[in-house]
Amino acid sequence: MDKKIEKKRFSTKTLLIIGGAIAFVVVVIYGYTLSLKKVYSADADKLTISKVEYGDFEDVVLLNASVVPLTSVIVSSSEGGTVAEIFTENGASVVKGTPLLRISNSNAMLSYTSSQTAATEQINQLRKSRLDLEQNQRVLNQDLLDVENNLRTAARQYRLDSALFNKKVITLQEFNKSSQDYEYYQGKRKIVRQAIAQENQSRKMQLAQIDQSMGQMNESLEMIRKNIENMTIKAPVSGKLSSYDPVIGKSYNSNEMIGKIDVLQGYKLQAGVDEYYINRVKEGQTANCEFNGKTYNLTVSKVIPEVTAGQFQVEMVFKGAAPEGLRRGLSLQTKLTLSDNSKSLLLAQGQFFQSTGGSWVFVVNNGKATKKNVKIGRKNYLYYEILDGLQKGDEVITSSYDQFNQYDQVEINK
């Protein structure tokens, strides 16, 4: 018997339930997709939007330079100690050798006194050794005189006895005695002469050593004397005293700066430069500044590469005579030229760089700004040089990205 198979149909209610489930899934997926793209809403008046331009890129750095003396000499003490006396004050004009202050250091003075006493004793001992050598030389010379005198007497007696012996006037025993004496003094003279030669050679070497040692001892004494004198700090050059603020009892370490003396021979400019430019600033580059309505040209004379608080220091000297009326500490705005001008795409500087490091920007189009990778080259006090990623006329948010740095898009509300 055949069975009849019937097709199972879904009811309208079932279809509605399935359709609703599918719609819910679609909505969830769509919402999730939208959530992946984070959007930030910002008011236009709170943003700075700059347009990319094409023009001359002026490769300069704007510096706030200070006027400093052309030459400053640091005043320091070779020996540490406390201030015992002050002879002059900050800002005073001094000449070379002028006493500035006196340092007191009891330990150093005790050491100097002990060393001085020891050196003096050694010098006295060396002098005594020299006198002993000279006395030995005199004794040997006297011995030689005595021997030669006795030899002359023995020689005369020997010649006389030889004649008398030949004439049978004296006996052989008498003749042998005078002959023996003559030979004795001949031998003794030879020995004394050898002793004197050896003594002279030894004496010469010893005197050279004594002279060398005495020279070293005298140098030590002179050094000690200078160290004691150096406890009184004197002006090493003539000029104007600055950065000088000692007080009685103030302690200074060895070679610590006590002050400066500005040699009044002209001025130069000194400025801190952002470490961003450390590989681009070199000696010989040009700069210019304005003073009393006139522009003056300068040359970078020294680059100090040590970075402190994100800056390194440069020194610049005037080409020709420095402006009249300059004084220490005056601040002048200075333009340092790094290279010649060139045509480039230009984007105004802004705080966005601190957030992105210049690797990307928000580009504005139809009221929305989206991220775009860029390549930034040089920068000056106004613009960044754009090497890739932007075109002339593009609009870029150049204000800070701190509020929306992690967002993919910014909607700009008018």
Side-chain angles (χ1 to χ4, degrees):
M1 179 181 224
D2 294 333
K3 292 183 179 180
K4 186 178 180 180
I5 300 174
E6 294 182 357
K7 290 185 178 180
K8 189 175 182 182
R9 297 178 180 271
F10 292 106
S11 66
T12 301
K13 184 178 180 179
T14 302
L15 291 175
L16 288 174
I17 292 172
I18 294 174
I22 293 173
F24 175 77
V25 172
V26 170
V27 169
V28 171
I29 293 174
Y30 178 72
Y32 177 73
T33 303
L34 288 178
S35 68
L36 292 177
K37 188 174 185 180
K38 296 187 292 184
V39 179
Y40 182 85
S41 180
D43 294 333
D45 59 356
K46 294 182 179 180
L47 302 175
T48 301
I49 298 176
S50 305
K51 185 176 290 188
V52 177
E53 302 174 3
Y54 183 78
D56 286 329
F57 180 80
E58 191 179 10
D59 195 11
V60 299
V61 182
L62 197 62
L63 304 175
N64 191 26
S66 298
V67 176
V68 296
L70 196 60
T71 303
S72 291
V73 178
I74 293 176
V75 179
S76 62
S77 172
S78 58
E79 195 69 58
T82 58
V83 178
E85 291 183 87
I86 301 173
F87 306 119
T88 188
E89 59 185 13
N90 191 44
S93 295
V94 296
V95 297
K96 183 178 180 179
T98 300
L100 305 179
L101 57 83
R102 182 174 66 83
I103 293 288
S104 175
N105 188 324
S106 57
N107 290 333
M109 285 299 297
L110 180 61
S111 175
Y112 291 153
T113 303
S114 299
S115 298
Q116 192 174 40
T117 302
T120 302
E121 289 178 352
Q122 290 186 45
I123 288 175
N124 290 336
Q125 185 63 39
L126 290 170
R127 286 174 177 168
K128 182 179 182 303
S129 297
R130 176 186 281 276
L131 291 175
D132 290 343
L133 289 174
E134 292 175 353
Q135 180 65 28
N136 291 339
Q137 183 69 24
R138 285 194 293 270
V139 170
L140 287 174
N141 288 337
Q142 184 62 46
D143 289 345
L144 180 61
L145 287 175
D146 291 343
V147 169
E148 288 182 340
N149 183 62
N150 291 333
L151 178 61
R152 285 192 293 272
T153 301
R156 285 195 300 271
Q157 187 64 43
Y158 173 73
R159 288 192 295 272
L160 177 62
D161 287 352
S162 294
L164 293 175
F165 179 73
N166 290 332
K167 293 178 180 180
K168 309 291 186 185
V169 176
I170 61 174
T171 64
L172 177 61
Q173 184 178 3
E174 292 175 318
F175 173 70
N176 287 339
K177 182 179 183 307
S178 60
S179 174
Q180 188 177 18
D181 289 342
Y182 176 59
E183 291 177 356
Y184 169 76
Y185 285 114
Q186 279 185 319
K188 188 171 183 179
R189 182 180 66 175
K190 182 178 180 181
I191 292 173
V192 171
R193 282 179 174 177
Q194 289 176 346
I196 291 175
Q198 292 175 354
E199 179 66 19
N200 284 340
Q201 185 177 4
S202 174
R203 176 175 172 272
K204 184 177 180 181
M205 293 176 61
Q206 291 183 66
L207 287 176
Q209 292 174 351
I210 289 173
D211 289 341
Q212 182 180 4
S213 297
M214 289 185 67
Q216 292 173 346
M217 291 300 102
N218 285 322
E219 287 178 1
S220 297
L221 283 174
E222 180 64 18
M223 186 177 298
I224 293 170
R225 183 187 65 79
K226 286 183 177 179
N227 286 337
I228 294 175
E229 285 185 358
N230 287 342
M231 302 297 278
T232 298
I233 312 302
K234 299 178 181 179
V237 293
S238 299
K240 190 172 183 179
L241 194 59
S242 65
S243 303
Y244 178 74
D245 59 347
V247 293
I248 299 297
K250 182 177 181 179
S251 296
Y252 287 99
N253 295 322
S254 175
N255 297 319
E256 181 180 353
M257 188 184 82
I258 295 174
K260 291 182 181 179
I261 295 180
D262 301 332
V263 181
L264 303 179
Q265 296 177 342
Y267 293 95
K268 61 187 175 183
L269 299 186
Q270 187 174 36
V273 186
D274 192 295
E275 61 182 329
Y276 173 86
Y277 298 100
I278 195 166
N279 293 323
R280 302 197 60 213
V281 178
K282 298 177 177 60
E283 294 180 4
Q285 290 175 330
T286 59
N288 65 77
C289 68
E290 290 189 3
F291 182 70
N292 287 340
K294 294 183 180 180
T295 300
Y296 294 88
N297 295 321
L298 303 105
T299 302
V300 176
S301 60
K302 188 176 182 181
V303 178
I304 304 170
E306 289 80 9
V307 176
T308 303
Q311 290 189 326
F312 64 98
Q313 298 292 312
V314 296
E315 294 180 358
M316 297 165 283
V317 295
F318 288 93
K319 290 183 177 180
E324 293 185 2
L326 287 182
R327 64 182 186 276
R328 183 187 179 96
L330 192 66
S331 182
L332 298 178
Q333 194 171 71
T334 306
K335 285 184 179 181
L336 171 61
T337 302
L338 302 178
S339 64
D340 295 335
N341 293 356
S342 59
K343 294 289 185 180
S344 302
L345 286 173
L346 307 176
L347 178 62
Q349 282 206 34
Q351 294 182 356
F352 75 93
F353 193 89
Q354 279 69 38
S355 298
T356 71
S359 60
W360 58 271
V361 295
F362 276 110
V363 179
V364 179
N365 187 18
N366 294 326
K368 295 182 180 180
T370 55
K371 287 184 177 180
K372 190 170 185 180
N373 292 332
V374 295
K375 185 177 181 181
I376 290 178
R378 298 168 295 176
K379 71 174 182 177
N380 60 23
Y381 60 100
L382 291 176
Y383 296 104
Y384 293 108
E385 179 188 35
I386 303 301
L387 302 178
D388 191 25
L390 296 176
Q391 295 180 352
K392 179 181 177 182
D394 284 347
E395 292 185 337
V396 177
I397 298 176
T398 53
S399 51
S400 175
Y401 290 179
D402 288 348
Q403 298 297 322
F404 46 87
N405 189 28
Q406 303 300 321
Y407 289 83
D408 300 308
Q409 190 177 84
V410 178
E411 287 188 353
I412 301 173
N413 303 318
K414 298 294 185 181

